[in-house]
Protein backbone atom coordinates (compact mmCIF):
# COMPACT_ATOMS: atom_id res chain seq x y z
CA UNK A 1 0.00 0.00 0.00
CA UNK A 2 1.32 3.42 -0.94
CA UNK A 3 1.71 5.78 2.02
CA UNK A 4 0.12 8.93 0.62
CA UNK A 5 0.44 10.84 3.90
CA UNK A 6 4.19 10.17 4.07
CA UNK A 7 4.45 11.15 0.40
CA UNK A 8 2.80 14.50 1.12
CA UNK A 9 4.97 15.24 4.14
CA UNK A 10 8.12 14.20 2.29
CA UNK A 11 7.33 16.51 -0.62
CA UNK A 12 6.75 19.49 1.67
CA UNK A 13 9.98 18.82 3.55
CA UNK A 14 12.03 18.18 0.41
CA UNK A 15 10.73 21.26 -1.41
CA UNK A 16 11.28 23.48 1.61
CA UNK A 17 14.82 22.15 2.12
CA UNK A 18 15.62 22.56 -1.58
CA UNK A 19 14.21 26.09 -1.63
CA UNK A 20 16.25 27.05 1.42
CA UNK A 21 19.41 25.56 -0.10
CA UNK A 22 18.87 27.43 -3.37
CA UNK A 23 17.94 30.66 -1.57
CA UNK A 24 21.34 30.49 0.14
CA UNK A 25 22.97 30.46 -3.29
CA UNK A 26 20.63 32.75 -5.25
CA UNK A 27 18.84 35.81 -3.95
CA UNK A 28 16.46 36.24 -6.88
CA UNK A 29 14.43 33.02 -7.13
CA UNK A 30 10.96 33.98 -8.28
CA UNK A 31 9.33 30.61 -8.96
CA UNK A 32 9.49 27.01 -7.73
CA UNK A 33 7.70 24.08 -9.33
CA UNK A 34 7.06 20.47 -8.44
CA UNK A 35 7.47 18.30 -11.52
CA UNK A 36 5.98 14.82 -11.49
CA UNK A 37 6.56 12.15 -14.13
CA UNK A 38 3.44 11.07 -16.00
CA UNK A 39 4.03 7.43 -15.06
CA UNK A 40 4.13 8.46 -11.37
CA UNK A 41 7.63 7.04 -10.89
CA UNK A 42 9.51 10.21 -9.96
CA UNK A 43 9.44 13.84 -8.94
CA UNK A 44 11.83 16.74 -9.19
CA UNK A 45 11.93 20.38 -8.24
CA UNK A 46 12.62 23.24 -10.62
CA UNK A 47 13.15 26.92 -9.99
CA UNK A 48 14.18 29.98 -11.89
CA UNK A 49 15.96 33.18 -11.03
CA UNK A 50 15.35 36.69 -12.27
CA UNK A 51 18.93 36.83 -13.54
CA UNK A 52 18.54 33.69 -15.63
CA UNK A 53 15.21 34.92 -17.01
CA UNK A 54 16.78 38.25 -17.97
CA UNK A 55 19.69 36.47 -19.66
CA UNK A 56 17.28 34.40 -21.75
CA UNK A 57 14.74 37.06 -22.72
CA UNK A 58 13.68 40.66 -22.24
CA UNK A 59 10.19 41.54 -21.07
CA UNK A 60 9.46 42.96 -24.53
CA UNK A 61 10.50 39.81 -26.39
CA UNK A 62 7.95 37.56 -28.01
CA UNK A 63 9.26 34.52 -26.12
CA UNK A 64 9.45 36.18 -22.69
CA UNK A 65 6.51 34.24 -21.18
CA UNK A 66 7.95 30.98 -22.43
CA UNK A 67 11.20 31.59 -20.56
CA UNK A 68 9.42 32.94 -17.51
CA UNK A 69 7.05 30.03 -16.98
CA UNK A 70 8.33 26.99 -18.91
CA UNK A 71 10.03 24.70 -16.40
CA UNK A 72 12.27 23.12 -19.01
CA UNK A 73 13.97 26.51 -19.54
CA UNK A 74 14.69 27.26 -15.90
CA UNK A 75 18.07 27.41 -14.25
CA UNK A 76 17.67 25.14 -11.24
CA UNK A 77 16.68 21.48 -11.11
CA UNK A 78 16.86 19.02 -8.23
CA UNK A 79 16.20 15.31 -8.51
CA UNK A 80 18.81 14.14 -6.01
CA UNK A 81 18.71 13.96 -2.23
CA UNK A 82 15.26 13.62 -0.77
CA UNK A 83 13.65 13.98 -4.22
CA UNK A 84 15.57 10.87 -5.23
CA UNK A 85 14.39 9.02 -2.12
CA UNK A 86 10.77 9.94 -2.86
CA UNK A 87 11.19 8.94 -6.50
CA UNK A 88 12.66 5.64 -5.40
CA UNK A 89 9.64 4.61 -3.37
CA UNK A 90 7.27 5.97 -6.04
CA UNK A 91 9.01 3.84 -8.66
CA UNK A 92 9.10 0.79 -6.40
CA UNK A 93 5.34 1.01 -5.85
CA UNK A 94 4.69 1.24 -9.60
CA UNK A 95 6.98 -1.74 -10.27
CA UNK A 96 5.32 -3.81 -7.53
CA UNK A 97 1.91 -3.06 -9.01
CA UNK A 98 2.78 -3.25 -12.69
CA UNK A 99 0.41 -6.17 -13.27
CA UNK A 100 -2.60 -4.19 -12.08
CA UNK A 101 -1.45 -0.76 -13.37
CA UNK A 102 -0.70 -1.71 -16.97
CA UNK A 103 -2.79 -3.73 -19.39
CA UNK A 104 -0.43 -6.52 -20.59
CA UNK A 105 -1.98 -6.59 -24.07
CA UNK A 106 -2.19 -2.87 -24.84
CA UNK A 107 0.39 -1.55 -22.35
CA UNK A 108 -2.13 1.19 -21.52
CA UNK A 109 -2.64 2.36 -17.97
CA UNK A 110 -5.55 0.72 -16.15
CA UNK A 111 -8.28 2.23 -14.00
CA UNK A 112 -6.29 1.18 -10.91
CA UNK A 113 -3.35 3.24 -12.18
CA UNK A 114 -5.64 6.17 -12.96
CA UNK A 115 -6.95 6.09 -9.39
CA UNK A 116 -3.39 6.09 -8.03
CA UNK A 117 -2.44 8.88 -10.43
CA UNK A 118 -5.41 11.00 -9.31
CA UNK A 119 -4.42 10.50 -5.67
CA UNK A 120 -0.80 11.44 -6.39
CA UNK A 121 -1.92 14.61 -8.17
CA UNK A 122 -4.19 15.63 -5.30
CA UNK A 123 -1.42 14.96 -2.77
CA UNK A 124 1.10 16.96 -4.82
CA UNK A 125 -1.31 19.88 -4.96
CA UNK A 126 -1.99 19.64 -1.25
CA UNK A 127 1.75 19.50 -0.52
CA UNK A 128 2.35 22.66 -2.55
CA UNK A 129 -0.47 24.40 -0.69
CA UNK A 130 1.13 23.37 2.59
CA UNK A 131 4.49 24.61 1.31
CA UNK A 132 2.90 27.97 0.50
CA UNK A 133 1.76 28.32 4.10
CA UNK A 134 5.14 27.20 5.40
CA UNK A 135 7.30 29.59 3.34
CA UNK A 136 5.00 32.58 2.86
CA UNK A 137 6.68 34.61 5.59
CA UNK A 138 10.24 34.08 4.31
CA UNK A 139 9.34 34.07 0.59
CA UNK A 140 6.17 36.17 0.24
CA UNK A 141 6.63 36.87 -3.48
CA UNK A 142 7.66 33.34 -4.50
CA UNK A 143 5.44 31.81 -7.16
CA UNK A 144 4.65 28.10 -6.91
CA UNK A 145 3.64 25.75 -9.70
CA UNK A 146 2.92 22.11 -10.43
CA UNK A 147 3.51 20.28 -13.68
CA UNK A 148 3.15 16.85 -15.20
CA UNK A 149 4.57 17.18 -18.69
CA UNK A 150 2.26 16.21 -21.50
CA UNK A 151 -0.53 15.39 -19.07
CA UNK A 152 -1.95 18.42 -17.29
CA UNK A 153 -3.68 20.74 -19.72
CA UNK A 154 -3.44 24.52 -19.68
CA UNK A 155 -6.71 24.97 -17.82
CA UNK A 156 -5.74 22.54 -15.05
CA UNK A 157 -2.33 24.17 -14.62
CA UNK A 158 -3.76 27.69 -14.52
CA UNK A 159 -6.51 26.68 -12.11
CA UNK A 160 -4.03 25.19 -9.66
CA UNK A 161 -1.58 28.10 -10.07
CA UNK A 162 -4.38 30.44 -9.01
CA UNK A 163 -4.93 28.52 -5.77
CA UNK A 164 -1.37 29.08 -4.48
CA UNK A 165 -0.37 32.44 -5.93
CA UNK A 166 -1.64 35.99 -5.82
CA UNK A 167 -4.40 37.16 -8.13
CA UNK A 168 -2.16 39.27 -10.37
CA UNK A 169 0.33 36.44 -10.93
CA UNK A 170 -2.50 33.97 -11.56
CA UNK A 171 -4.02 36.28 -14.16
CA UNK A 172 -0.68 36.77 -15.91
CA UNK A 173 -0.01 33.01 -15.90
CA UNK A 174 -3.45 32.20 -17.33
CA UNK A 175 -3.20 34.93 -20.00
CA UNK A 176 0.12 33.59 -21.29
CA UNK A 177 -0.16 29.85 -20.68
CA UNK A 178 -0.40 29.07 -24.38
CA UNK A 179 3.05 30.61 -24.77
CA UNK A 180 4.71 28.01 -22.55
CA UNK A 181 2.40 25.02 -22.06
Amino acid sequence: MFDYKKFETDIVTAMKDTLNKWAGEYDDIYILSLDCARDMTSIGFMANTEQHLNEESDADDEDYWYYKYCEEEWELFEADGMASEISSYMNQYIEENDACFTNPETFAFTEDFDEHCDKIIKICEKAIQRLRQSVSQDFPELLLAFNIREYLDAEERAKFFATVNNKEAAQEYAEHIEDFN
Side-chain angles (χ1 to χ4, degrees), residues 59-117:
D60 298 331
D61 290 347
E62 183 178 306
D63 58 0
Y64 177 76
W65 304 109
Y66 173 76
Y67 287 104
K68 183 170 184 177
Y69 291 119
C70 181
E71 285 92 343
E72 287 86 17
E73 298 299 332
W74 294 353
E75 181 173 16
L76 306 171
F77 178 76
E78 177 68 55
D80 296 327
M82 195 162 178
S84 177
E85 292 175 28
I86 296 167
S87 295
S88 179
Y89 70 72
M90 289 174 73
N91 187 53
Q92 180 180 351
Y93 184 74
I94 294 297
E95 286 179 357
E96 290 170 355
N97 291 279
D98 185 55
C100 68
F101 283 169
T102 307
N103 181 315
E105 294 173 15
T106 64
F107 301 103
F109 291 129
T110 64
E111 285 184 30
D112 288 339
F113 175 83
D114 290 341
E115 287 176 21
H116 175 67
C117 178

Side-chain angles (χ1 to χ4, degrees), residues 81 130 172:
R130 282 181 52 199
E172 177 182 272

Side-chain angles (χ1 to χ4, degrees), residues 3-50:
D3 189 340
Y4 295 99
K5 188 65 181 161
K6 174 182 175 11
F7 179 64
E8 178 184 337
T9 300
D10 286 352
I11 289 174
V12 174
T13 301
M15 287 187 78
K16 187 174 181 180
D17 290 351
T18 301
L19 175 61
N20 286 328
K21 178 182 86 170
W22 285 339
E25 300 170 23
Y26 304 89
D27 62 358
D28 62 343
I29 295 172
Y30 70 88
I31 193 163
L32 174 68
S33 182
L34 170 61
D35 185 66
C36 186
R38 167 61 182 114
D39 61 1
M40 302 296 131
T41 58
S42 65
I43 61 162
F45 314 122
M46 299 176 184
N48 205 14
T49 63
E50 292 286 347

Side-chain angles (χ1 to χ4, degrees), residues 31 33 65 68-71 74 143-147 152-162 165-181:
I31 193 163
S33 182
W65 304 109
K68 183 170 184 177
Y69 291 119
C70 181
E71 285 92 343
W74 294 353
L143 301 175
L144 297 174
F146 175 52
N147 187 33
L152 296 178
D153 66 25
E155 184 178 327
E156 291 170 310
R157 290 185 67 185
K159 183 178 176 184
F160 176 73
F161 192 89
N165 296 293
N166 66 54
K167 186 177 179 178
E168 295 80 23
Q171 183 176 349
E172 177 182 272
Y173 188 89
E175 285 175 5
H176 298 284
I177 198 160
E178 294 306 322
D179 295 331
F180 62 88
N181 190 32

